[in-house]
Amino acid sequence: MDGFVDLHSHILPSLDDGARDMKKTREMLQIAYEEGIREIIATPHFFASRKSASVEQIKETISRVQEEMEDWGFSIKIYPGNEIYYRSEVAELLEEGQICTLADSRYVLVEFDPVTEYSYLRDGILKLDSYGYVPILAHTERYECLFEKKERLTRVKDHGGLIQVNASSFQGGMFDEMAKRSRYIMKNGLLDFVGTDAHSTGKRSPRMKETVTYLYKKLGKKEAEKILFKNPKAVLGKQEIF
């Protein structure tokens, strides 16, 4: 099975702490292709507090990678995006066009400090929603505050947010905290997206197949395909997710 969309990836060369050069980008994309990924939203980190790649740099780099890929023997479509480290000013920066939304939609990938207070995370989701954006919470399994009181996960969605979990987080053992949290999100019907959050060809590589098999086994075809195909395709198509 293939045709997956990876909406969380640090695949672009020399823009953040992901691929360091075009050679590494090619190696990562080769892995992604072998894992069944056919579309990627590139999401280099954006920090309001320090220099980050500009929207123009991101789009120019994507064009360069797509040109190079013509000689690589495989094809993956890459779209622009950012993984936005939340600060109160990012909504305004989005309005000014200084940060990439996901594939030029109204969906945005947003992250917080893993030990942020719940009130700060909640208010960030609400502010982005109030500006007309749909915040997708990156690697939701990492946020301590959401698992201190698990009903807060439902509130994230009540406030207009959606939930993404890293594919690798499902693969830990029974005593792995990230795996336990990821499986809790899945079992309670709260999972909207799986992304690789790929940074390298090693431990943080763009692998999906093992988690795809797991989701089909645990959720069944209809629900697994909603998470793996329907929802990410809605982002690419600028459509609402129900």
Side-chain angles (χ1 to χ4, degrees), residues 46 55 81-84 89-91 93-94 96-101:
F46 178 89
V55 172
N82 272 123
E83 180 180 12
I84 306 163
E89 63 266 36
V90 299
L93 293 173
L94 281 161
E96 294 168 9
Q98 295 189 44
I99 309 175
C100 288
T101 63

Side-chain angles (χ1 to χ4, degrees), residues 173-234:
M174 67 174 65
F175 300 111
D176 184 287
E177 188 62 29
M178 294 302 106
K180 287 193 290 185
R181 292 176 178 182
S182 300
R183 291 164 189 166
Y184 178 89
I185 291 169
M186 178 198 70
K187 289 175 183 176
N188 285 274
L190 299 169
L191 181 62
D192 297 300
F193 304 96
V194 171
T196 68
D197 192 10
H199 280 69
S200 69
T201 56
K203 187 176 180 181
R204 304 183 74 184
S205 60
R207 299 193 183 276
M208 289 275 282
K209 279 184 178 178
E210 190 173 356
T211 293
V212 167
T213 300
Y214 177 80
L215 292 177
Y216 270 91
K217 178 181 178 181
K218 295 296 183 180
L219 296 176
K221 184 175 186 289
K222 182 178 180 181
E223 190 60 28
E225 291 189 349
K226 179 182 178 183
I227 294 162
L228 295 167
F229 296 103
K230 185 178 178 181
N231 288 351
K233 288 289 188 180

Side-chain angles (χ1 to χ4, degrees), residues 82-134:
N82 272 123
E83 180 180 12
I84 306 163
Y85 191 83
Y86 185 78
R87 288 288 183 268
S88 59
E89 63 266 36
V90 299
E92 288 80 7
L93 293 173
L94 281 161
E95 289 292 276
E96 294 168 9
Q98 295 189 44
I99 309 175
C100 288
T101 63
L102 297 180
D104 298 315
S105 69
R106 298 298 286 181
Y107 293 90
V108 294
L109 184 67
V110 59
E111 69 169 331
F112 295 80
D113 190 291
V115 294
T116 194
E117 293 184 3
Y118 171 67
S119 60
Y120 186 73
L121 185 150
R122 176 201 64 207
D123 290 351
I125 296 291
L126 284 167
K127 182 169 184 179
L128 289 166
D129 178 70
S130 74
Y131 273 71
Y133 296 100
V134 183

Side-chain angles (χ1 to χ4, degrees), residues 2-6 32-40 75-78:
D2 57 27
F4 307 122
V5 180
D6 184 2
Y33 188 84
E34 291 168 357
E35 290 286 308
I37 296 167
R38 295 295 181 268
E39 295 176 285
I40 293 174
S75 180
I76 294 177
K77 175 67 175 174
I78 305 175

